[in-house]
Each structure stands twice: as structure tokens, then as C-alpha cells.
Amino acid sequence: MEIGNRARAVEDWFAANRRRLPWRTRRSAWRSLVSEFMLQQTQVARVVEKFEPFLTRFPDPASLAAADEQEVLAMWQGLGYYRRARNLKRAAEMIVERFGGRTPLEPDELLELPGVGRYTAGAIASIAGRRRVPIVDGNVQRVLARLHEDDADPTSRDAIARAWQRATELVDACDRPDRLNEGMMELGALVCTPGMADCGVCPLATGCGARRSGRQASIPPPKRAAVKIEVHHHSVLVRRNGRLLMEQRGDDGIWAGLWQVPTVESKRKLGPSQVSRRCGVELTEIDRVGSFTHELSHRRIHVHVFRGDAAPGARAPGRTWQTRSGLERLPVSNAVRRILELG
DNA sequence: AAATCGTGGTC
DNA sequence: TGACCAAGATT
């Protein structure tokens, strides 16, 4: 099939199929920017729950730029990759300062924003701005690899470069870059999925290399999962006068900037007396409450939960005593949410 | 440039 | 059930 016909086949397929992201029917650069930040490495279904509340609270770059970072993180709670939320706020600040509050639609300007890489810039520019630029996400890379029967390791430099080259050729040959790019991603998400290629309904089936050779299941080869390091978090629910002691995590590492109950991290499991000694506040008593494991992409955290009573007049520098309603305003990880449920 | 950063879904 | 994956970016 000639490349222009391929591109139009995808555009027509997308135009005829319902979109899973209805907010894109309103073409707003700001909405597109927020949407693309949320969608980085995150499934559409998860984003749908969070998007409208976030946009209602932060309807334009100025409102986000002026907001307290704690509130931004709270609106992001549960989405993961919390650095995106902080980058998005910094991007909003830059939009206000350098672009007069108007979200840019040119790829080069978008790339200057923190947290915006080649994919995100291309998605906003092509979908919200209808600029003729390519995008390659995990879906597009898989569809293109199968189309061209490219069985290389998808994490290799060369394979990535070939995907961008092929995406560029397609978008150069298409009529509507927005429909082409969204169509390629939807194809990957709904038709040409990792586990199954539903070639019977695929607009690219004619001329697909993997289909011709029957290698849909082995292209692309799977990426090796990261080795998970095992660590232990000992978290203490410290009570005093009906309040709970909370601390904020540092600027780097996992859950940066989020809040937690006092937690001792170690390579090995610790007993109650060790936890009591190292948790940073004097306790008169400590008991085990329960434990669970929390899985991250590159780490397995064994969470051991304790309950302790603060000694009278105990000091806890850098920490705050929170009431139940105060707790609800602090951004916490899902692991901490589970810990708090045990309290 | 390999590691890091969350969480939930799929098969 | 445990890999593997998701509208990736950063260092």
C-alpha cells in the first residue's frame, strides 16, 4: 500500500471510531498540555478520573502557576510519577512569564517547558495545534515495528530512531496530523495490542509485515523488566491528643514532596525497639499494627506498620501534628493511604 | 546511557 | 501468579 493511502486509512479509521478522550474535542492548548502530562506512562482510564477535577481547579496556566505546590500534589494524588505534577507547575510558571500566559503550540517552544519531551511536544502541537509533526509513544512504536516487521529490541537507539523516521514519513503523507497521530495511538491501544493483533479490523492489515509472516506475537520482543530491589519501610502512627504526626519527604527520590507518617527505611526488617529508637520522636510505647508489600516498577517495599504513643512533651522538629481533617489536605502516596487506613 | 520515577491492568 | 505494559522525561 502506498504511504499516503496508509496514512489516510488510519485517519479514516480514527474518524469513524469513538475517541476515549472526549476532552480533546475542545481544542485548548492548556487542556492538551495537562492531559499529556497525566498520560505519560499512565493508562487512559486512570487519567479520565483525574483530569476534569484538575482542570476545574486549574483552568489556565496562571491559576496553576499561582497555586501552592502542596495543593497541586494533592490533586495529583494516586496518579504516580509525582515529578510530573511539579514539572507541570513549573511549566505553567514559564508559560506565564515567557509566553504571556498562553500555552504555545509550536514544537520548539513546547520543548523548552520542563517535563515536555519529544513525544509530549509532538502530541500537543499535532493534536491541539494541528501542526505536521510526528509522535512515537509505546503504542505507535509497536504498530510501526509490526508494520515494518522490525524485530529489533524496542529500547535500542536504532529501533527508536527508525520508529521516529517512519512516523515522520507517515505524518508527512497524511491529510490530518491530529487524526493520524491519535489514530496510530488508538490502534496500538485497542487493535494492535501487546498481547493480540486483531488484524481483521486493522486499517493497516494490507501490507503489514508482521501479519504477512505471522509474527505479530513476537514483534516487538518484550522489554526486560527492571530488577526489583527489596527494601523495608517501618512506619509509625504516632498519636497525641487525637492528632497524628506527619513528615514531608525530601525533594528527591520516590514520592518526593509527599507526606508520610514517621518512617524508618532500611535494607533489613527492624524490630519495634529499633524502630522506636530511630523514628525521630520519643515514644512511651510501640505496637505492631500490620504489614503489606507495596510494588513499584523498580522496587518492592515491605511496609511494616506500627502504632506508638508520643512521650509527654516529646519534640518532633520539622514535623507537624495533624487532625483528621488536616490529614486529608496533605498529598500522600497510595502506600501511606493504606497505612493511614490501618490507623 | 542505564537508572529512576508510581500505580493499576492484563493475560 | 508474575512478567509485562502504559499517550515518557530526566539525569
Side-chain angles (χ1 to χ4, degrees):
Chain A
M1 202 192 310
E2 192 266 334
I3 187 160
N5 292 333
R6 279 183 172 174
R8 278 183 288 281
V10 174
E11 294 171 66
D12 293 344
W13 176 85
F14 181 67
N17 284 272
R18 176 170 300 173
R19 305 165 185 230
R20 291 182 301 158
L21 297 180
W23 60 75
R24 281 202 175 136
T25 58
R26 309 183 209 172
R27 289 170 53 216
S28 148
W30 173 242
R31 293 174 72 86
S32 181
L33 182 75
V34 173
S35 159
E36 294 301 341
F37 266 74
M38 287 190 173
L39 285 163
Q40 289 168 5
Q41 290 288 281
T42 303
Q43 291 169 342
V44 167
R46 309 274 337 133
V47 171
V48 166
E49 309 164 3
K50 296 285 182 180
F51 182 73
E52 290 298 345
F54 193 96
L55 251 291
T56 299
R57 174 60 188 85
F58 306 116
D60 47 46
S63 59
L64 183 61
D68 180 24
E69 184 177 278
Q70 289 301 301
E71 189 185 357
V72 180
L73 285 169
M75 296 297 289
W76 203 270
Q77 189 172 120
L79 268 180
Y81 286 146
Y82 297 95
R83 184 168 48 184
R84 294 179 295 174
R86 316 174 86 178
N87 279 338
L88 181 55
K89 174 168 165 54
R90 289 205 295 136
E93 293 166 357
M94 192 178 294
I95 290 168
V96 168
E97 292 166 11
R98 297 189 36 192
F99 298 101
R102 299 185 66 87
T103 306
L105 286 170
E106 300 305 327
D108 290 346
E109 295 177 332
L110 287 161
L111 279 171
E112 296 177 27
L113 302 175
V116 175
R118 193 173 180 185
Y119 163 78
T120 302
I124 297 164
S126 67
I127 297 169
R130 299 195 180 181
R131 306 297 194 269
R132 191 174 292 276
V133 289
I135 59 175
V136 174
D137 73 331
N139 292 308
V140 176
Q141 191 176 357
R142 179 175 55 256
V143 172
L144 290 173
R146 287 177 177 164
L147 184 64
H148 293 269
E149 200 179 354
D150 186 339
D151 59 6
D153 171 7
T155 66
S156 71
R157 266 192 100 71
D158 289 349
I160 293 169
R162 282 195 296 277
W164 279 96
Q165 176 60 32
R166 289 161 180 160
T168 303
E169 292 166 2
L170 264 183
V171 80
D172 283 344
C174 80
D175 289 332
R176 285 276 301 266
D178 55 338
R179 287 187 183 173
L180 174 81
N181 285 342
E182 281 200 85
M184 290 292 286
M185 290 192 287
E186 287 292 83
L187 264 184
L190 302 176
V191 175
C192 195
T193 65
M196 185 188 64
D198 191 2
C199 302
V201 300
C202 179
L204 293 175
T206 305
C208 174
R211 176 168 183 259
R212 189 185 315 122
S213 60
R215 299 210 291 152
Q216 299 96 320
S218 56
I219 296 178
K223 307 167 185 172
R224 261 211 315 276
V227 177
K228 287 196 179 180
I229 296 174
E230 309 230 359
V231 297
H232 295 264
H233 284 193
H234 309 81
S235 299
V236 190
L237 295 151
V238 183
R239 298 168 300 189
R240 188 171 78 182
N241 300 332
R243 292 170 182 254
L244 208 58
L245 190 59
M246 298 292 289
E247 64 184 11
Q248 189 175 19
R249 293 185 65 87
D251 242 21
D252 301 310
I254 62 171
W255 302 320
L258 273 61
W259 290 76
Q260 63 185 12
V261 303
T263 298
V264 180
E265 303 182 12
S266 63
K267 293 179 181 176
R268 298 177 180 281
K269 181 179 177 181
L270 304 177
S273 61
Q274 292 172 294
V275 174
S276 177
R277 197 176 330 119
R278 294 169 60 175
C279 73
V281 58
E282 191 184 348
L283 305 177
T284 59
E285 193 168 333
I286 185 166
D287 295 302
R288 299 178 190 275
V289 173
S291 66
F292 58 89
T293 63
H294 188 84
E295 303 267 350
L296 279 62
S297 52
H298 58 299
R299 205 170 302 199
R300 172 176 289 121
I301 303 177
H302 299 272
V303 182
H304 313 285
V305 186
F306 300 82
R307 194 196 323 270
D309 293 314
R315 292 190 189 172
R319 301 170 176 181
T320 67
W321 296 96
Q322 293 287 336
T323 61
R324 176 164 293 281
S325 61
L327 269 182
E328 291 168 4
R329 262 177 267 119
L330 296 181
V332 300
S333 67
N334 277 11
V336 171
R337 195 183 302 181
R338 285 189 67 178
I339 291 168
L340 293 174
E341 285 170 5
L342 291 173

